[in-house]
Amino acid sequence: MSAEHSPNSAVPANDIAAEGVQPLVGIIMGSQSDWTTMKHAADTLAALGIPHEVRIVSAHRTPHRLVEYATTAKARGLKVVIAGAGGAAHLPGMAASMTPLPVFGVPVESHALKGMDSLLSIVQMPGGVPVGTLAIGKAGAINAALLAGSVIALMDPAVADALDGWRARQTAAVADAPVDDPT
């Protein structure tokens, strides 16, 4: 496989793996347009201090890249894969079929059906090939990163502390009573 088709090409500026740190979570998406949604997963992992890598890996347009990425993910030290896809959304299920790692699927909102097509494609995996399916869009991307963090926290006390801090900040941000103008 040529360098231009390697899963390590086109590294985004916020990709922790590009800084020489061993990534623990891989974020993959089917196209550049999915980055608007999947950036929220990367930002959440960064906020938790979890090393990650980000790649465009299309199940339809770059199938050899997908096979290389998914079949080498565990050997490369990844512990979790977050896969975002829209439309037919084959990427999460295909990745899950080729790696023993947990795969969390994020349905990206599509133009035609507002992400319902993506959601149904990801959530309806056959028995034996699980994909943890999250909400459509931004909330799903954030929650996928938090779930990945929960997996990493089982073996990393610093990540467990970061997750505890995240949850404590969320709790503290909730008012006791509503106000007419919260600004």
Side-chain angles (χ1 to χ4, degrees):
M1 185 169 285
S2 71
E4 72 180 33
H5 289 46
S6 165
N8 295 319
S9 62
V11 178
N14 70 339
D15 191 327
I16 292 175
E19 300 170 11
V21 176
Q22 170 62 51
L24 298 177
V25 178
I27 300 172
I28 57 176
M29 64 207 76
S31 68
Q32 175 64 44
S33 63
D34 297 340
W35 180 236
T36 304
T37 297
M38 298 309 293
K39 184 176 186 329
H40 298 288
D43 291 346
T44 302
L45 290 171
L48 295 171
I50 299 172
H52 59 280
E53 64 184 21
V54 180
R55 302 290 182 268
I56 296 173
V57 181
S58 170
H60 301 112
R61 293 181 305 272
T62 64
H64 297 292
R65 189 183 305 176
L66 170 58
V67 170
E68 181 182 347
Y69 189 90
T71 59
T72 65
K74 184 176 179 183
R76 291 184 298 107
L78 295 181
K79 305 298 183 200
V80 179
V81 175
I82 298 172
H90 289 115
L91 182 61
M94 291 299 297
S97 76
M98 292 183 268
T99 183
L101 299 176
V103 175
F104 299 132
V106 177
V108 174
E109 187 172 335
S110 59
H111 297 290
L113 298 174
K114 303 296 184 202
M116 286 302 296
D117 49 346
S118 312
L119 173 65
L120 293 173
S121 292
I122 297 170
V123 79
Q124 286 301 112
M125 289 300 298
V129 185
V131 173
T133 309
L134 285 298
I136 298 167
K138 177 181 176 180
I142 291 169
N143 284 339
L146 292 171
L147 275 174
S150 295
V151 170
I152 303 302
L154 294 171
M155 55 196 124
D156 187 330
V159 173
D161 289 344
L163 276 170
D164 289 344
W166 178 283
R167 291 177 179 152
R169 287 187 300 279
Q170 280 198 308
T171 298
V174 177
D176 288 331
V179 296
D180 289 332
D181 185 10
T183 55

